[in-house]
Amino acid sequence: MNPFDSFAIQIRKLTAADVPALLALLNRTFSAENERFESFPENFPRIFGADCARHAPEHMGAFAGGRLIGAAASYSLEYHIGDRVLHLNGGGNIAVAAEARGRGVMSALLRQIRTETAETADLSYLHGKIDRYRRFGYESCGTEYRIRFSRHRMKSLGVGAYRFDDLRHTDIPPVLHALSQQRYEHVARTRAELLPALCSCGRIPVGIRDGDRAVGYFSYDPLTEVVEEFAFEPSADLPAILAAWMSWTQTDVSLRMAPYDLPMCQTLLRAAEDFVIGAPALFRVHRFDRVVETLLHNRAQYQP
């Protein structure tokens, strides 16, 4: 019997003992796919850092002959929009060994994840090619703003007393973790998870100070000059913070954000050079009632 025949594949959640095989599969597969060296511990320190053994069961594995030949992530996330909470299943990290492709491994993994999450998740998401994942029920949807700011347009705002710290080699202050969980739209994270999450994919966690007082943070991608996440005290002035950052780095900057916090979006768009709107990921909705009610509730907050 061919060990890669679909009926010979065993699907189960991974354990701490499977981590070396998982990392080897992911690094090998994505390095070949992206035509550059990929290190998942470096790219995703929240998941594959010092605490990777605890996150192993958040991956589903496919085994043939006792060997790991495929894997896919399945993370349970608590996503807050205002005073409402949606339960997300975060997918991705989908890899199949080259010699096992075309034998239904990815389909078996995604079917098992769907079976196990259909009753617990309101919706699932992942990043990838729509042609590959549409047959599993994923569609490109949602709205994300990518707002571009220029030094020329922002210089009139002044930079105030805002200063910046590289947080990569520090302990996240409790005040910054508290601010991260007070954002209008956020994923629930522990204090220990925040710094590794902000460092994903080579991003730099930047602390914001107003004089000597910590007032916020943002996660900055130095290659694309994009702010991926931010949080700050209500009294802080985000356009002035961005102006100060651009003055300090002598670069323009873009900011990615969901449109749920409409007043914040309007404030930023007024200061922006330009913006584009795109879909943030591929989604599969499990509970239309929960998702639609949450989004309509959010929109109703800003109706006259």
Side-chain angles (χ1 to χ4, degrees):
M1 181 175 64
N2 188 322
F4 295 137
D5 285 346
S6 59
F7 55 81
I9 297 173
Q10 177 196 6
I11 304 293
R12 65 167 172 82
K13 289 184 178 180
L14 299 185
T15 68
D18 299 312
V19 168
L22 172 63
L23 288 175
L25 176 64
L26 291 172
N27 290 340
R28 182 172 63 249
T29 302
F30 281 86
S31 293
E33 177 75 17
N34 298 332
E35 298 183 335
R36 64 172 184 264
F37 176 71
E38 299 286 3
S39 169
F40 272 66
E42 292 180 10
N43 290 344
F44 304 102
R46 185 188 74 83
I47 303 166
F48 297 109
D51 206 22
C52 62
R54 184 171 68 86
H55 291 289
E58 296 173 323
H59 279 79
M60 198 70 68
F63 293 81
R67 185 165 66 90
L68 182 68
I69 60 169
S74 179
Y75 301 102
S76 296
L77 302 170
E78 190 178 279
Y79 184 51
H80 294 246
I81 303 175
D83 60 356
R84 301 301 172 97
V85 177
L86 290 174
H87 297 283
L88 269 61
N89 175 252
N93 299 350
I94 300 172
V96 177
E99 66 274 16
R101 291 176 188 169
R103 301 177 183 275
V105 176
M106 184 177 73
S107 297
L109 287 166
L110 293 181
R111 280 198 304 269
Q112 184 64 28
I113 289 173
R114 181 168 188 169
T115 297
E116 295 199 2
T117 60
E119 298 299 321
T120 58
D122 297 316
L123 69 165
S124 298
Y125 80 94
L126 54 78
H127 299 278
K129 297 176 181 178
I130 184 63
D131 293 343
R132 178 178 297 171
Y133 297 110
R134 175 172 281 153
R135 63 192 178 100
F136 301 106
Y138 289 90
E139 291 290 343
S140 179
C141 57
T143 301
E144 179 181 75
Y145 282 83
R146 182 162 175 158
I147 308 172
R148 187 173 69 90
F149 303 89
S150 69
R151 284 169 286 167
H152 174 74
R153 185 177 178 88
M154 300 285 280
K155 65 182 179 180
S156 63
L157 296 178
V159 299
Y162 292 115
R163 299 293 183 269
F164 305 97
D165 300 308
D166 185 338
L167 299 176
R168 283 177 289 187
H169 306 295
T170 63
D171 187 23
I172 287 285
V175 64
L176 295 188
H177 175 252
L179 289 174
S180 78
Q181 301 306 285
Q182 293 165 12
R183 298 169 61 214
Y184 189 86
E185 172 249 351
H186 69 273
V187 172
R189 296 191 189 112
T190 66
R191 184 181 168 198
E193 291 175 319
L194 179 58
L195 182 60
L198 297 179
C199 292
S200 295
C201 299
R203 297 197 295 267
I204 300 172
V206 178
I208 307 166
R209 286 184 290 111
D210 186 354
D212 294 327
R213 188 166 56 91
V215 297
Y217 71 83
F218 58 83
S219 181
Y220 178 72
D221 186 332
L223 295 179
T224 60
E225 299 173 352
V226 174
V227 171
E228 300 282 350
E229 178 180 323
F230 59 88
F232 53 91
E233 287 185 352
S235 61
D237 185 338
L238 183 54
I241 289 171
L242 294 174
W245 175 254
M246 289 189 287
S247 175
W248 190 55
T249 60
Q250 288 299 293
T251 61
D252 292 346
V253 71
S254 296
L255 183 148
R256 286 178 26 171
M257 66 177 297
Y260 302 122
D261 188 344
L262 184 59
M264 176 57 65
C265 276
Q266 292 173 335
T267 296
L268 291 170
L269 289 173
R270 284 194 293 267
E273 187 75 19
D274 54 40
F275 67 94
V276 295
I277 300 175
L282 306 180
F283 292 89
R284 185 182 68 225
V285 178
H286 302 286
R287 292 281 308 278
F288 279 90
D289 55 339
R290 290 264 303 149
V291 174
V292 171
E293 192 275 338
T294 297
L295 298 182
L296 289 178
H297 176 77
N298 170 252
R299 176 166 291 189
Q301 306 303 301
Y302 302 111
Q303 297 301 315

